[in-house]
Amino acid sequence: MQLAGVRTAAAGDATTISRLLADIIRSSYAGILDEIPMRRLISAQCALPRIRAEIEIPGGAPGWLGWLVATDDEGAVVGMAAGGVPVPGEGEVYALAVTPGSRRTGVGTALLTAASERMRAYDAHEQRVKLPVEADPALPFYADQGFTALGPGRLARPL
């Protein structure tokens, strides 16, 4: 698999984002989250109407910078990210997920880099992320990207 690129999500990506994100959450948090917290996380993060609406926000909304998708050389979506600048100067990664078969190939880094560039364009000088659990499987990735703990489940890095 070779990464073809990162692009802004289009309306036709909403179903793919919703399904893949739910599958990634299930596989990443199996054995870490109980059934009810898992369902709540999937319901909050993967609702198709919400993702569709977020993709179709004309020109974005204050603080919202949209969804990005990473595709392989055949055009299949292998990762997604969403973020914004909800507070002046502070970017927030709302979602970043990579399919299990595409992990450790640079997809997550490419998505985070693209999201960071968008945040910098909106004058963010810091980037934050909130993880669903303290012992999150994504913690090593974020640590490798320069994030440090702000508190339980909250990480930040300078941009």
Side-chain angles (χ1 to χ4, degrees):
M1 194 270 323
Q2 186 174 6
L3 182 64
V6 174
R7 63 174 171 77
T8 300
D13 295 318
T15 300
T16 301
I17 291 170
S18 176
R19 286 183 184 156
L20 278 178
L21 190 54
D23 290 345
I24 292 167
I25 288 170
R26 279 187 203 95
S27 67
S28 296
Y29 295 102
I32 297 173
L33 287 176
D34 292 330
E35 183 67 22
I36 291 174
M38 178 86 74
R39 286 184 185 191
R40 285 186 187 139
L41 182 60
I42 290 170
S43 176
Q45 295 292 319
C46 309
L48 180 58
R50 188 188 108 216
I51 291 171
R52 186 175 287 132
E54 289 171 347
I55 289 172
E56 295 176 357
I57 294 172
W64 173 246
L65 299 179
W67 281 93
L68 298 167
V69 293
T71 58
D72 64 15
D73 54 353
E74 295 173 7
V77 174
V78 294
M80 67 282 306
V85 182
V87 176
E90 293 179 9
E92 183 80 22
V93 177
Y94 299 127
L96 194 153
V98 177
T99 59
S102 298
R103 292 181 183 155
R104 294 180 177 81
T105 64
V107 173
T109 300
L111 285 162
L112 185 59
T113 298
S116 300
E117 289 170 4
R118 285 183 170 198
M119 291 173 192
R120 280 189 202 98
Y122 283 83
D123 298 323
H125 54 82
E126 184 177 61
Q127 188 173 53
R128 297 178 178 212
V129 63
K130 182 176 187 223
L131 302 175
V133 294
E134 283 187 56
D136 198 286
L139 195 53
F141 168 78
Y142 286 110
D144 287 346
Q145 299 297 319
F147 284 82
T148 58
L150 286 176
R154 293 285 295 159
L155 307 172
R157 73 174 182 173
L159 280 179

